[in-house]
Amino acid sequence: MAKAQSAGEVGRRLRTDLRLQQWLLRFVGAWAPRSGASTSVWSSLYGTYSGCVVVILLLFVASLLFAMVHYWGHMLGVTMNACLMFTYVMNIIKIVAFLRMRPAIDQFIDELDSCMQEYGQELRSQKAAVFRWTALKSRIVSVARLSVTAMGCVYWAVMPAVRASACGHTVECRASVGLPAHVWYPFSYTVSPVYEVIYAGLAAGLMYGALLSSIMDGFLVSLFIYMAGHLQLLNLMLRSISGSQAEDDEDEDYHGEKRRDVAAASHFRQEQLMRWRLAQCVTYHCRIDMGVQRLSTLFGPILLGQFMMDIIAISATAFVAIAKNADSTWLVKYTSYLSAVIQQLLFYCWFGTDVLTESERLQMSAYSCNWMDASPRFRMELRIFLCRTHRPMRLTASKFYTISKETFLTVRKRYQHQSEKKCPLGERRPSEVSDSGMGASSGRDPEEEVGPEDREFCLCGLGEQETCRIVVEKR
């Protein structure tokens, strides 16, 4: 009895550990407290704080919009402001969605906790190792994402002040390079103390938006990591159906006691135990599948909007950065923004692939159990389970995109196509050019370089094997 209680206490300690991610969400105003009579005052105060964060982001978006209208002919500034505006509008949508979905997210996490405590009791040490590494991995990924974003925000917020100080804090200097973003207001905003207030507001909006995005990304990816951890545990359970990998701890629970009795019992009882384990795996698989679908339903619209905004931003910034000769200041801004967007896409797609990979391993894990010595009935049930696992689990963005590395590679190819430069003039002639007046060969060397009297048009394709066809027109 004492051993069973001890085992139950160990099982209760295994929970979905998202305390760090939830604390970070609470810090930026995206994690509302649980509803209740005792927390009504705290909920009201936190709702006010979240509203202030949304107002700061809206003011930042309005500043970008004013600058777009005022500096409409400035392609670099207008494109950068448009991309930032789309990004921060998406951040506002995400924080509102997180605040409204708090009860549904708590219910989803409770379901993960229930599965963690109910299944895999015969593999307690392995299960504990899997979820310890899952919790550590989720924290490392969240902190790494936040750190990279914070470094970029510090650069965007500090460097304008450094440049303004270097050029003497003149009105013209402040208007051109002295603010964290390319903004415009219908009043004089480059004189003190208005300049300092505007600078602080823009820096706060920039920092809050970027940190909010990275923290929410870290929370979502942590859920991806935990789903992959549950699939990893299911793979362990499938491989140990025959009992060859059963633990023999001193404090093992009643399932362990049952295995020791079965080892000396008849073949019939061994068969019943294997069928019971397979039934547990089938139930666990169904609950994980429902969890993956629920996760896609909860956050699918957010991920779809995020993917669309990222693709638009990548295409626009890549085109403008190549089409216009940007100076070093704009080049650094575009490079840092593009790297942040690409990192965000890779962040989702990389860990979404873990769920897909672990679900694809289920067939091999089930096939690796000792089914050769089992009865025909067990083999038939196992065959049905193998047919069910033939369809892998996929996290999707509202069923439009599969969140996987293949999606990221597709976006990367589009970015490469957008960034393809024009072919240079002065290419070698592939063949002799006919004389337009006589209709005979001009007598030039086929490898001779095209002279200034010729006009060349280089038509570059955008396929996998890029070719360049030179069309020469004789004047």
Side-chain angles (χ1 to χ4, degrees), residues 93 213 418 458 467:
I93 295 174
S213 179
Q418 290 288 341
C458 187
T467 59

Side-chain angles (χ1 to χ4, degrees), residues 164-407:
S165 177
C167 61
H169 280 289
T170 61
V171 174
E172 295 79 8
C173 180
R174 287 179 173 181
S176 59
V177 298
L179 289 172
H182 192 63
V183 298
W184 178 85
Y185 298 99
F187 54 85
S188 179
Y189 58 91
T190 55
V191 295
S192 299
V194 179
Y195 169 76
E196 285 76 11
V197 174
I198 294 295
Y199 194 102
L202 289 175
L206 186 71
M207 292 287 290
Y208 254 103
L211 294 179
L212 181 66
S213 179
S214 63
I215 291 171
M216 288 188 290
D217 293 343
F219 181 82
L220 289 179
V221 169
S222 297
L223 295 180
F224 293 179
I225 294 173
Y226 268 97
M227 293 306 302
H230 281 277
L231 286 169
Q232 186 176 354
L233 175 60
L234 180 57
N235 277 286
L236 293 174
M237 292 171 60
L238 288 169
R239 286 196 294 267
S240 62
I241 283 180
S242 62
S244 58
Q245 298 183 15
E247 296 179 0
D248 194 18
D249 299 336
E250 292 181 0
D251 59 342
E252 64 184 348
D253 57 2
Y254 69 95
H255 292 311
E257 296 288 343
K258 186 177 181 180
R259 275 203 315 276
R260 284 198 300 270
D261 295 338
V262 167
S266 64
H267 177 74
F268 175 77
R269 295 193 62 189
Q270 177 68 24
E271 180 74 18
Q272 293 298 315
L273 180 59
M274 292 178 64
R275 291 186 59 209
W276 177 82
R277 289 171 179 163
L278 181 59
Q280 289 286 302
C281 293
V282 170
T283 306
Y284 194 18
H285 179 266
C286 292
R287 294 182 67 174
I288 294 175
D289 193 12
M290 292 175 58
V292 171
Q293 295 179 17
R294 182 167 179 77
L295 188 60
S296 299
T297 302
L298 280 175
F299 300 105
I302 296 177
L303 295 175
L304 178 61
Q306 190 71 66
F307 272 52
M308 293 176 63
M309 292 300 103
D310 289 346
I311 291 173
I312 293 173
I314 289 173
S315 302
T317 52
F319 172 77
V320 173
I322 291 171
K324 302 292 288 184
N325 293 324
D327 56 13
S328 60
T329 302
W330 284 106
L331 189 60
V332 171
K333 283 187 175 181
Y334 273 97
T335 303
S336 60
Y337 179 77
L338 270 177
S339 63
V341 172
I342 293 173
Q343 286 172 14
Q344 186 180 49
L345 277 176
L346 180 62
F347 197 58
Y348 283 117
C349 294
W350 185 277
F351 294 102
T353 305
D354 289 347
V355 177
L356 180 62
T357 303
E358 291 294 335
S359 66
E360 289 175 342
R361 290 177 52 204
L362 293 176
Q363 282 191 319
M364 183 57 67
S365 298
Y367 189 78
S368 300
C369 71
N370 191 18
W371 57 269
M372 291 78 69
D373 299 331
S375 66
R377 184 174 182 180
F378 175 82
R379 281 182 278 183
M380 181 187 66
E381 294 172 350
L382 182 63
R383 190 159 54 244
I384 294 173
F385 179 76
L386 288 172
C387 293
R388 179 63 182 84
T389 57
H390 183 71
R391 181 180 64 86
M393 302 179 191
R394 301 174 185 271
L395 290 166
T396 62
S398 293
K399 300 185 184 295
F400 283 91
Y401 293 100
T402 298
I403 304 173
S404 62
K405 294 177 184 177
E406 286 74 16
T407 302

